Every structure is written in structure tokens, then in C-alpha cells.
Amino acid sequence: MGKIIAIVLAAGRGKRMQSDVAKQYLLVRNKPVLYYSLKAFQDSIVDEIILVTAENEITYCKEEIVDKYAITKVSQIVAGGKERYHSVYNGLKACKDAEVVLIHDGARPFVDEAIIERNVRMVKEHGACVSGMPVKDTIKISDVEGYVKETPRRDLIWTIQTPQTFRYDLIRNSYDVFLAREEEYSKQYSVTDDSMVAEIFGGIKVKLVEGSYNNVKITTPEDMVLAEVILG
């Protein structure tokens, strides 16, 4: 059996946070947001963690987060790329002997052991799955002029989170296909998450798996207030 590896992405800048400090390094209860994401995988069934960050932040991450907080499952810290999907691909290329890979945004600090275990259990049955939760609000689809065009069934709509989890060979092949013709495909598709890559370029059916309403992504200053509440 191969390893269960988590790729934790921490290479983004987060312009909506309106801060000179990248969102993954902002402090919540005196610890960086990224610490909480890494600690969740450290305490889980995951065998290894590959941390992807900006090239000029590798030393900082190693000394001030990984070593400082004894995140011993981090086996490599690799440089990210221009786009999120480049960072994911760099993480995938760094995986050795992986059977299952969980891809997680480092700015989601409230992933927990139960979410991770559900993902791993589901991926072993279905090959690909994404964390998410059913929406609470009615959703409207607008036309280009801002008028309501459609009201889809609420019970069929989920907000998608991370981790997004795959059999390693399936997601690696999907990324290989996409990036072999990146210039062409990036004009056709706006790739915003890993399940899109699996669906479009691997022809893979992706199973939805329950995440948590607390599994929020730190994106705006208001999210930092919410993070304090969740921890409290």
C-alpha cells in the first residue's frame, strides 16, 4: 500500500485580506493560520505532508512554523508557481510512493481529523472526492444584465471546500494532461479547484463528502474575527 500524503498550499498572497502579511501567516490566538492547518494533518492518519509556499518563504516556514511547532510529518517544503494549479502540480511532483493525496488550502485552518478520515475513506471507494457542505441560502443564477435567470434546486447545491482528495495516479494524470497543453486549455477553462482538473482532463466522477460549516477559508478581515469565534 502507498502512502497517504497531504499537499498543503500556502503560496498565495490573498489581496482581499488588505494586509501586508500573507493571510496564511496572520496570527489567530498567537499562532499563524497555517499552523492550524498543518497541525490537523500532523494529528491525523496522513503519513506525510508536503508544504507548498513561495520560494522566498521556504526558510521562514521551516524555521518559524514547521520546526517551531514540531510538525514532524512535513517531509518537504517546495516552491509554488504562478497560479494555484502550478503550486498543486509542484506538490504532486514532490510526492513519492503516494496512493492517496489530499490537497488542502493552508488558509483553511479548521479542517479536522473527522473531515480528513471521511475523505480518505471515501476516496478509497470512489477514487476522487471533495469536501463541501449543502448551501443554506437560496441561490439565484443571473443573466449578464443582472436579472434573475434561474433558481436552481437548493438541495442539489454545495459550497466546495478543501481537502479535495484523490487516488494519486488519477489526479497526477489529470494534471499531466492539463499542463501538457496549458496555454490552450487555460483559454477555454477557468480552473479554480482540483476537482475541475479531474473532471475535465481525467474524465473522473468526483464524489461529494461532508466537510464542516466551520471549515472556512480565511479570505477577508471579517474571516479573522470568525476564526477567533470558532477557536473560542
Side-chain angles (χ1 to χ4, degrees), residues 20-66:
D20 292 334
V21 179
K23 59 190 177 182
Q24 60 268 23
Y25 305 130
L26 293 173
L27 299 182
V28 181
R29 298 288 174 93
N30 296 316
K31 291 185 174 69
V33 167
L34 179 58
Y35 157 81
Y36 296 98
S37 298
L38 293 174
K39 187 68 164 61
F41 289 103
Q42 173 74 18
D43 294 341
S44 75
I45 60 175
V46 163
D47 296 306
E48 290 182 17
I49 303 167
I50 293 173
L51 176 58
V52 185
T53 188
E55 188 169 9
N56 62 352
E57 294 169 355
I58 290 175
T59 299
Y60 173 84
C61 283
K62 183 179 188 308
E63 295 177 353
E64 297 299 324
I65 300 179
V66 174

Side-chain angles (χ1 to χ4, degrees), residues 22-184:
K23 59 190 177 182
Q24 60 268 23
Y25 305 130
L26 293 173
L27 299 182
V28 181
R29 298 288 174 93
N30 296 316
K31 291 185 174 69
V33 167
L34 179 58
Y35 157 81
Y36 296 98
S37 298
L38 293 174
K39 187 68 164 61
F41 289 103
Q42 173 74 18
D43 294 341
S44 75
I45 60 175
V46 163
D47 296 306
E48 290 182 17
I49 303 167
I50 293 173
L51 176 58
V52 185
T53 188
E55 188 169 9
N56 62 352
E57 294 169 355
I58 290 175
T59 299
Y60 173 84
C61 283
K62 183 179 188 308
E63 295 177 353
E64 297 299 324
I65 300 179
V66 174
D67 292 346
K68 181 176 180 179
Y69 297 107
I71 310 296
T72 58
K73 288 185 180 179
V74 172
S75 59
Q76 296 184 66
I77 305 176
V78 302
K82 180 181 178 182
E83 303 291 343
R84 181 188 184 277
Y85 56 77
H86 294 131
S87 295
V88 172
Y89 194 54
N90 289 351
L92 289 170
K93 289 188 292 184
C95 291
K96 305 298 181 187
D97 303 319
E99 176 190 9
V100 170
V101 60
L102 301 95
I103 303 170
H104 184 68
D105 292 324
R108 286 189 189 272
F110 302 117
V111 62
D112 58 33
E113 190 172 357
I115 295 172
I116 294 167
E117 289 184 355
R118 281 196 296 273
N119 269 261
V120 172
R121 183 169 64 250
M122 195 69 70
V123 84
K124 289 187 175 182
E125 182 177 349
H126 298 280
C129 66
V130 296
S131 305
M133 293 298 290
V135 299
K136 298 179 181 181
D137 300 318
T138 296
I139 302 298
K140 300 286 186 181
I141 306 298
S142 75
D143 63 18
V144 294
E145 296 179 341
Y147 291 95
V148 173
K149 179 181 179 181
E150 182 183 352
T151 304
R153 283 177 51 181
R154 187 169 62 183
D155 60 316
L156 299 180
I157 302 173
W158 288 50
T159 57
I160 298 305
Q161 305 172 350
T162 63
Q164 302 193 1
T165 307
F166 308 89
R167 245 178 50 201
Y168 176 79
D169 59 326
L170 296 181
I171 193 63
R172 175 63 191 267
N173 179 68
S174 300
Y175 265 96
D176 285 342
V177 171
F178 169 42
L179 290 171
R181 295 167 63 184
E182 176 190 356
E183 185 175 355
E184 173 188 348

Side-chain angles (χ1 to χ4, degrees), residues 33 48 84 172 192 200-201 217 224:
V33 167
E48 290 182 17
R84 181 188 184 277
R172 175 63 191 267
T192 56
I200 296 170
F201 304 106
K217 187 176 183 180
M224 293 297 290

